[in-house]
Amino acid sequence: MTPLTRCLFALVLLPLLNGCSSAAYYSQLADGQWQILKARKPVATVIADPQQPPALREHLAKAQAARTFASQHLHLPDNQSYRLYVDLKRPYVVWNVFATAEFSLNPVTHCFPIAGCVAYRGYYAQGAARGAAALQRQQGMDVLVSGVEAYSTLGWFDDPILNSMLNWGDERLATLIFHELAHQRFYLKDDTEFNESFASFVEQQGTRQWRTYQGLPPSGSAGLEQRDQFMGLVLDTRKRLQQLYAQPLPAAEMRQRKAAEFERLRREYRQLRDHQWAGNNRYDLWINSPMNNAKLLPFGLYDQWVPAFAALFKHSGGDWQVFYAEVEKLGKLPLLQRRAALQQWTTRA
């Protein structure tokens, strides 16, 4: 396959893509993916190279153990994905740009025939992402630029381990591998909430089993409880904002009440941090940075149906093959029926 053909395939198949007609946008996507493809090296080669940093070699060796576990025990795809390595020389592989209207929590979506509609646009250069975000802000949109450590090409290419995936330790790398392979295992066009919640559940349950396999104790509950409490605050804010935006209010009043809701979120977070978390400030940076609707989008996209998939996994007897078959059945339902079914599983959870 020629480089040009590979680029065109990347252009067509990447889940980052959307319906944008801009030649520059498509060009940067094709070039970015091609740069990753041609820079891939077998992880085994990197591990065997004495000139590579010992910490990197050790990190990758542990990642390969997790990669083998993913296929043998979680029944995730057994291919060359995450058995290759690329050093991007940057902290993120892409930067996603999320946007909403000023008084809406519905994301501006971008659609593509293969990947379907997604709630963001991806850029391989941070400057390009910031430029696109600036143009949307000029149009009165709420915008978020978010760096991404990894993404899946849904099995069309052998996705490598990226240096951007190595920042948070061995277990975090394992969880990323589980998450991205889950997208290869099942992906539903036009339903970001379903896809990301499914992959997030596989990541979380897979990590629990990976720790058991290694003879490690379960993860500490304090951090998970704090995460869940924080997410609860954010999701409650989303609900209140949705109710606010449904009201026929003048723009000035709507804007004032919107700002008040974000201040309420900050106030409730600080109360939680100071009185229940003993001052743990793990979310201070997020809570103290500028707030808008787009900043709340990833919470609903990545976690909404995780309890439903947890209940479905339990119903499947903890059997991954049975679970995946049930997930595929859900994916065949029309959208409204699928969401109703997921809500029923959430209620069971």
Side-chain angles (χ1 to χ4, degrees), residues 232-251:
L233 292 180
V234 176
L235 294 176
D236 286 346
T237 302
R238 282 175 56 96
K239 291 178 181 178
R240 292 195 300 270
L241 285 171
Q242 286 175 331
Q243 294 171 355
L244 172 63
Y245 297 152
Q247 300 179 40
L249 300 174

Side-chain angles (χ1 to χ4, degrees), residues 18-288:
N18 51 53
C20 174
S21 60
S22 167
Y25 180 71
Y26 277 89
S27 177
Q28 65 91 24
L29 286 173
D31 183 66
Q33 178 63 19
W34 173 238
Q35 294 301 320
I36 291 174
L37 291 176
K38 72 177 185 178
R40 295 177 300 177
K41 298 179 181 179
V43 168
T45 301
V46 179
I47 293 174
D49 184 355
Q51 295 184 349
Q52 295 293 335
L56 172 63
R57 296 164 64 192
E58 182 180 359
H59 205 12
L60 291 177
K62 292 179 179 178
Q64 292 311 279
R67 177 63 183 86
T68 300
F69 177 86
S71 293
Q72 292 183 352
H73 296 270
L74 308 183
H75 297 281
L76 292 168
D78 189 3
N79 52 34
Q80 284 300 106
S81 288
Y82 310 111
R83 293 186 170 110
L84 304 165
Y85 176 69
V86 171
D87 185 354
L88 298 166
K89 313 295 184 184
R90 60 180 188 264
Y92 297 107
V93 57
V94 293
W95 285 262
N96 284 344
V97 179
F98 296 85
T100 73
E102 183 181 9
F103 303 129
S104 173
L105 287 167
N106 296 321
V108 175
T109 57
H110 309 274
C111 300
F112 184 75
I114 299 296
C117 297
V118 294
Y120 51 81
R121 294 175 67 185
Y123 296 84
Y124 283 92
Q126 186 178 25
R130 288 178 173 176
L135 291 175
Q136 290 181 296
R137 289 191 185 99
Q138 290 178 0
Q139 300 170 10
M141 309 292 286
D142 279 14
V143 184
L144 169 69
V145 178
S146 177
V148 177
E149 300 161 318
Y151 63 84
S152 172
T153 57
L154 307 182
W156 291 98
F157 296 104
D158 292 325
D159 297 318
I161 295 173
L162 305 168
N163 69 291
S164 55
M165 301 168 65
L166 303 180
N167 297 327
W168 291 1
D170 295 324
E171 184 162 293
R172 175 56 177 162
L173 178 54
T175 66
L176 283 171
I177 290 172
F178 300 158
H179 185 105
E180 299 306 332
L181 284 174
H183 284 310
Q184 291 190 19
R185 181 61 181 78
F186 187 78
Y187 182 88
L188 184 62
K189 183 179 175 181
D190 295 338
D191 198 335
T192 303
E193 293 90 341
F194 184 97
N195 294 324
E196 293 300 342
S197 295
F198 164 69
S200 292
F201 168 74
V202 173
E203 168 191 329
Q204 293 170 19
Q205 180 61 28
T207 300
R208 284 189 283 270
Q209 294 185 11
W210 173 233
R211 289 186 67 87
T212 300
Y213 180 80
Q214 297 176 93
L216 299 175
S219 298
S221 60
L224 296 176
E225 183 178 356
Q226 290 175 4
R227 183 199 67 181
D228 291 344
Q229 289 175 332
F230 177 73
M231 288 178 54
L233 292 180
V234 176
L235 294 176
D236 286 346
T237 302
R238 282 175 56 96
K239 291 178 181 178
R240 292 195 300 270
L241 285 171
Q242 286 175 331
Q243 294 171 355
L244 172 63
Y245 297 152
Q247 300 179 40
L249 300 174
E253 182 179 354
M254 185 80 77
R255 199 168 290 121
Q256 182 180 19
R257 293 179 62 175
K258 172 185 174 181
E261 287 296 344
F262 284 126
E263 284 306 312
R264 176 178 173 178
L265 171 60
R266 289 190 173 103
R267 183 172 63 254
E268 291 180 345
Y269 164 76
R270 290 166 185 150
Q271 291 174 346
L272 187 64
R273 177 197 64 192
D274 297 339
H275 298 288
Q276 295 188 39
W277 297 359
N280 187 317
N281 63 354
R282 61 188 295 189
Y283 297 112
D284 276 18
L285 181 62
W286 189 93
I287 206 77
N288 291 326

